[in-house]
Amino acid sequence: MRWRWSPRQPINAAKLHRKYSSGPGDQVHRYPDRKMAHRLLARRIWTLSSKEIRRLPVSSAAIASSSLSTSLQSSTARVSLLSPSHAVPHAPHRQVSFNVQDNEDFTERVVNSQLPVLIDFHAQWCGPCKILGPRLEKAVAKQKGRVAMAKVDIDDHTDLAIEYGVSAVPTVLAMRGGDVVDHFVGIKDDDELDSFVSKVIGQ
Amino acid sequence: MTAEIKLIFFRQLFEHHRDRRGPSFHNNNMAALCRGRHRWKSVKWTRLITRSVTGNSVLCAGVNNKAFIDGKYDYDVVVIGGGSGGLACSKEAAQLGLNVAVLDYVEPSAKGTKWGLGGTCVNVGCIPKKLMHQAALLGTAIKDARKYGWQISGPISHDWATMADAVQNHVRSLNWGHRVQLQDKKVKYLNMKGSLVDEHTIKALTKAGKEMTLTAKNIVIATGGRPKFPTNIPGAMEHGITSDDIFWLKESPGKTLVVGASYVALECAGFLTGIGLDTTVMVRSIALRGFDQQMAELVTDYMESYGTKFAWKCIPKRVEKLPSGALQVIWIDVMTGNEHKDTYDTVLWAVGRAPETKALGLNKLGVQLDKKTGKIIVGVDESTTVPNIYAFGDIGQGRPELTPTAIKAGKLLARRLAGRSTALMNYDNVPTTVFTPLEYGCVGLSEEEAESRHGKDNIEVFHAFYKPLEFTVAERDASQCYLKVICERDGVQKILGLHFTGSNAGEVTQGFAMGFQCGATYSHLLETVGIHPTTAEELVKVNITKRSGLDATVTGC
């Protein structure tokens, strides 16, 4: 899987603030609460700025290697420099479906994900979750990397589940660019899941 | 104000606002927003500024703080104990607009068992008990099924792990459900051990040892009880388990000795026998103390015919662990004085429950405890000897140790604390059911109690031995299926007590409890038409008195 790296635009703090604060006329339901919006904003600014710092060596390396001769060695070097697994520790991003480890992990891999992410809130004791889980995996796999899935065990991550307003399980949230764009509760069959996932990706 | 203080100030404003209203605040509509704004006006700005400047906030975990300024407390009510009573009280109080926090903490059992939010009933009481009781009944039903034509080949066996897993999963779903409910009802939940510093201050401790202080206008104690271990039997605690552990075992308890004859002991022994385990009940004196003894005898007779072994009038002396891992129990037969021993895989102690008051620090506050039971002495309004401290549920002296009474008492207490009502909890006419293999449901007085209160000559006991229709084809023995209605002998013959053994006794008794609450008389009973064919209809047909000496067996249709 190749990822295209391109230099990011500088952060427009004012634009971000407009995007994340809710005022009259904004769809309040996109955020469970103001606290979460503030938290998302804080997370976003922090991780974006740290990403900016991290990204610099890679882009400069890419520019450097492209000016080299087209020998096999250098092209492999270029490819390897550009390849995601080298130098910058981004391995977790490559997994399409993963279990969330903690709040920082959630922020990094879900809120700040480049891809749209499905968040599967489930529990060990929930029978329907065990049915929905594999179906979700299948639907996500069909999209071949256009959508990721984060699995959150609500007993291990109770605060996270409560923050996102999860009451019954399974609850699946669809997040794009840090915003919750869609959700459903309960079981869905394969066709319904496929259309849900397609809508999330924006097809 | 400097920039730093401004930042702290505004953060405090948000945090204060958020925590008072709960995270789902913005889900509400404009009405809620208006309510929020009104709340803002009542907040003292001077208090916030003072708190910000001094850097104190009780909302920051880990900061030790005794923060009530200007006579305002952090919470209107803090409930210590997140069981049936505590949760009901806190949710009701929050719904009535009070600022409520509930502390729930489970001290692991001696064996290390612990569980989530919900208290004894949800985790190690009513819920898992009833589910395992059902598992046992289904075993009996499968045996009956053959007589009804079902082709079930071979002997049937039970797998503990499958049942335990399913039961434990259901309990965990209830833990989550309670967590969500607290969130929805805007009750602050703290998984911390609470103890009282003074009548308005509570010290809360996390498992890791982090401390937090809360102040409250009113404190409600609903910490319930835990099973007792016998103190004078060597090896009891090291090798035995209690009802706190039995429902969370991952492996079958195997050959079990249940020590005790309370409903806990009999119910546990009942379902263990039902799922096919070799079970013995060791009784010191009588079974189901406090219940009608004639009914208790019917219950234990049924259990004996069902396969449970009983060691009557025996007291264990010590428990030793053998090299094989099995437990050797030595006991004394009180009647003969002889010593006996036998080996078991599990020893389950069901010898009573002790109130959870030790960790609360009640003595130094002057909250009086009963000298014999250790429970908190409470008034009719659940008040203790300290004005703003209340206690109810299992922890209250003289209160029934039942979930429905705790829930109701909690809700009424919340209403009184919110100033919405003055109604007191009525602890009379409380129905209950013992879920032994042959269930026993009752409401009102036992025959012994009725005799002692009214005199044997002033009561009339109508009774009947009946045979459930379902037992006929299944060729089951119905000798212990019995019911009796104790009435006043004269006048309208008001019903004083109603007792019933049989299948689904709980379902049967519930309806009659309402009649009892309404002051039903014997003629009301006779005026009621029965539903046929049921076992409950026998209650409205009962007409043979004990006094007559006639055969009470129901015949015909």
Side-chain angles (χ1 to χ4, degrees):
Chain A
M1 203 187 329
R2 286 278 303 275
W3 285 78
R4 288 178 294 116
W5 291 108
S6 55
R8 291 277 299 186
Q9 289 171 352
I11 306 165
N12 185 335
K15 190 172 158 197
L16 267 175
H17 188 260
R18 270 201 305 280
K19 190 181 176 194
Y20 283 95
S21 61
S22 55
D26 270 20
Q27 286 172 294
V28 179
H29 74 263
R30 285 166 84 199
Y31 306 100
D33 63 319
R34 180 176 283 176
K35 172 187 98 168
M36 193 185 93
H38 285 139
R39 216 181 262 190
L40 285 175
L41 170 64
R43 273 180 184 161
R44 210 51 195 269
I45 293 172
W46 186 81
T47 49
L48 274 173
S49 41
S50 60
K51 260 195 189 163
E52 285 282 326
I53 295 160
R54 264 189 293 167
R55 211 157 267 135
L56 287 168
V58 179
S59 25
S60 53
I63 294 164
S65 60
S66 62
S67 64
L68 288 171
S69 62
T70 53
S71 66
L72 210 68
Q73 212 178 6
S74 55
S75 58
T76 16
R78 183 176 9 156
V79 166
S80 67
L81 276 169
L82 285 168
S83 75
S85 51
H86 178 72
V88 183
H90 279 302
H93 284 288
R94 299 313 134 228
Q95 278 171 272
V96 164
S97 162
F98 55 90
N99 286 311
V100 170
Q101 303 298 316
D102 51 39
N103 281 352
E104 283 77 42
D105 189 36
F106 185 81
T107 310
E108 198 188 302
R109 290 207 270 172
V110 181
V111 178
N112 296 332
S113 170
Q114 313 286 340
L115 294 176
V117 187
L118 295 184
I119 313 168
D120 174 18
F121 288 95
H122 63 93
Q124 291 284 67
W125 40 259
C126 161
C129 300
K130 294 185 172 44
I131 300 173
L132 184 68
R135 282 190 200 165
L136 274 172
E137 301 265 7
K138 211 165 78 180
V140 165
K142 267 193 216 166
Q143 296 299 333
K144 297 203 196 315
R146 277 172 297 194
V147 67
M149 180 158 81
K151 292 179 279 198
V152 180
D153 183 318
I154 60 171
D155 288 326
D156 293 336
H157 307 287
T158 307
D159 292 339
L160 197 56
I162 297 271
E163 188 183 324
Y164 282 86
V166 176
S167 54
V169 274
T171 290
V172 175
L173 300 183
M175 190 172 264
R176 222 175 36 215
D179 305 333
V180 176
V181 297
D182 206 348
H183 76 285
F184 69 84
V185 179
I187 298 199
K188 286 211 182 297
D189 64 32
D190 292 319
D191 297 324
E192 288 173 317
L193 283 178
D194 285 337
S195 65
F196 178 81
V197 175
S198 306
K199 214 174 80 174
V200 169
I201 297 172
Q203 289 165 347
Chain B
M1 273 194 275
T2 66
E4 277 165 9
I5 293 172
K6 254 191 214 160
L7 203 65
I8 300 167
F9 176 55
F10 282 115
R11 213 192 70 213
Q12 293 279 9
L13 280 181
F14 281 129
E15 282 183 32
H16 184 83
H17 184 61
R18 171 200 68 198
D19 279 292
R20 279 173 78 87
R21 297 302 302 145
S24 54
F25 172 62
H26 275 273
N27 273 344
N28 299 337
N29 52 26
M30 279 304 285
L33 270 157
C34 294
R35 215 167 45 227
R37 257 184 244 123
H38 173 73
R39 261 280 165 84
W40 265 128
K41 285 184 191 140
S42 68
V43 166
K44 288 216 163 166
W45 290 81
T46 47
R47 173 184 172 208
L48 282 169
I49 292 169
T50 325
R51 284 171 80 187
S52 326
V53 167
T54 54
N56 278 352
S57 169
V58 84
L59 301 167
C60 294
V63 176
N64 205 345
N65 178 39
K66 188 176 175 319
F68 80 91
I69 303 162
D70 298 329
K72 290 270 194 273
Y73 302 99
D74 296 326
Y75 296 97
D76 297 314
V77 182
V78 168
V79 181
I80 308 180
S84 305
L87 292 177
C89 183
S90 55
K91 286 188 289 195
E92 182 75 11
Q95 262 188 310
L96 296 173
L98 296 179
N99 194 9
V100 189
V102 66
L103 275 70
D104 185 58
Y105 186 82
V106 179
E107 196 71 55
S109 74
K111 273 280 169 295
T113 313
K114 51 191 197 308
W115 49 89
L117 180 62
T120 297
C121 176
V122 164
N123 295 286
V124 288
C126 331
I127 303 295
K129 175 265 304 275
K130 188 86 191 286
L131 289 171
M132 293 198 175
H133 170 63
Q134 176 65 4
L137 290 179
L138 287 171
T140 314
I142 297 176
K143 294 192 192 97
D144 291 350
R146 291 194 177 104
K147 304 262 170 53
Y148 278 89
W150 286 98
Q151 304 299 300
I152 300 164
S153 56
I156 50 168
S157 63
H158 182 265
D159 175 50
W160 174 274
T162 309
M163 174 185 72
D165 207 42
V167 169
Q168 288 155 21
N169 280 345
H170 179 67
V171 170
R172 287 194 196 99
S173 76
L174 294 178
N175 297 144
W176 170 256
H178 280 301
R179 182 73 190 86
V180 170
Q181 277 204 316
L182 287 181
Q183 187 70 16
D184 287 345
K185 300 268 196 296
K186 305 193 196 349
V187 176
K188 178 90 180 157
Y189 163 63
L190 296 163
N191 186 1
M192 295 169 125
K193 191 152 99 168
S195 62
L196 301 178
V197 177
D198 63 47
E199 58 267 19
H200 289 286
T201 314
I202 296 153
K203 183 174 86 173
L205 225 64
T206 64
K207 195 169 75 173
K210 265 207 307 204
E211 228 181 74
M212 190 166 135
T213 311
L214 310 148
T215 57
K217 186 163 158 224
N218 289 304
I219 297 175
V220 178
I221 300 169
T223 48
R226 295 295 287 267
K228 273 198 268 202
F229 275 98
T231 45
N232 54 348
I233 299 172
M237 200 184 274
E238 303 95 293
H239 308 306
I241 62 168
T242 63
S243 60
D244 278 355
D245 309 296
I246 185 95
F247 303 108
W248 292 91
L249 293 178
K250 292 278 181 225
E251 287 165 3
S252 172
K255 181 177 173 189
T256 307
L257 174 68
V258 179
V259 182
S262 54
Y263 68 83
V264 174
L266 296 185
E267 285 173 350
C268 288
F271 72 70
L272 289 172
T273 309
I275 59 174
L277 300 176
D278 181 342
T279 313
T280 309
V281 180
M282 189 166 288
V283 184
R284 180 180 60 183
S285 57
I286 57 168
L288 293 177
R289 186 180 297 276
F291 286 87
D292 187 291
Q293 284 302 293
Q294 181 196 12
M295 307 308 287
E297 200 179 319
L298 291 168
V299 164
T300 51
D301 283 349
Y302 182 89
M303 286 176 72
E304 278 185 291
S305 69
Y306 191 62
T308 310
K309 296 183 242 181
F310 276 80
W312 291 103
K313 303 260 198 303
C314 294
I315 301 178
K317 209 167 136 190
R318 65 178 180 279
V319 181
E320 291 153 355
K321 193 156 190 164
L322 299 173
S324 62
L327 300 172
Q328 178 157 276
V329 182
I330 293 120
W331 71 85
I332 298 177
D333 181 330
V334 175
M335 301 304 277
T336 60
N338 292 338
E339 230 181 59
H340 300 271
K341 65 172 191 263
D342 200 352
T343 46
Y344 301 93
D345 297 319
T346 304
V347 175
L348 174 66
W349 300 103
V351 296
R353 293 178 68 82
E356 274 282 90
T357 50
K358 273 186 284 303
L360 289 170
L362 296 173
N363 316 42
K364 60 182 199 277
L365 261 77
V367 177
Q368 242 190 328
L369 306 176
D370 182 275
K371 286 192 178 38
K372 189 164 150 239
T373 63
K375 293 188 182 182
I376 301 177
I377 295 179
V378 287
V380 289
D381 59 344
E382 323 325 331
S383 58
T384 63
T385 44
V386 177
N388 68 304
I389 301 182
Y390 300 83
F392 74 98
D394 286 10
I395 200 94
Q397 172 58 27
R399 300 291 186 232
E401 289 184 2
L402 297 168
T403 282
T405 52
I407 291 176
K408 213 181 196 83
K411 287 190 178 156
L412 290 173
L413 176 64
R415 288 191 205 139
R416 293 196 299 271
L417 291 176
R420 301 291 185 95
S421 155
T422 50
L424 298 174
M425 173 66 190
N426 177 11
Y427 286 99
D428 297 325
N429 312 335
V430 174
T432 185
T433 296
V434 181
F435 293 98
T436 37
L438 186 72
E439 294 174 13
Y440 162 40
C442 61
V443 60
L445 305 176
S446 62
E447 199 173 328
E448 295 91 340
E449 187 65 34
E451 273 178 21
S452 97
R453 281 198 207 184
H454 299 261
K456 197 167 177 170
D457 292 332
N458 298 323
I459 58 168
E460 193 77 86
V461 183
F462 298 91
H463 68 155
F465 283 94
Y466 69 94
K467 184 161 190 171
L469 182 63
E470 294 80 9
F471 279 39
T472 53
V473 171
E475 291 171 19
R476 277 175 68 186
D477 179 17
S479 324
Q480 289 87 28
C481 292
Y482 177 79
L483 57 96
K484 68 181 174 185
V485 182
I486 306 160
C487 308
E488 282 173 355
R489 195 169 176 190
D490 302 317
V492 293
Q493 289 195 295
K494 180 158 177 262
I495 300 175
L496 302 168
L498 193 145
H499 302 261
F500 177 90
T501 50
S503 309
N504 305 305
E507 312 292 353
V508 170
T509 311
Q510 180 71 87
F512 285 95
M514 182 171 117
F516 192 83
Q517 183 72 16
C518 298
T521 63
Y522 179 63
S523 42
H524 285 138
L525 204 60
L526 285 191
E527 281 166 25
T528 311
V529 179
I531 302 172
H532 186 72
T534 62
T535 53
E537 65 172 314
E538 302 300 337
L539 274 163
V540 302
K541 285 157 58 182
V542 71
N543 55 82
I544 308 280
T545 62
K546 273 198 181 176
R547 185 167 275 120
S548 67
L550 296 167
D551 179 12
T553 312
V554 169
T555 51
C557 201

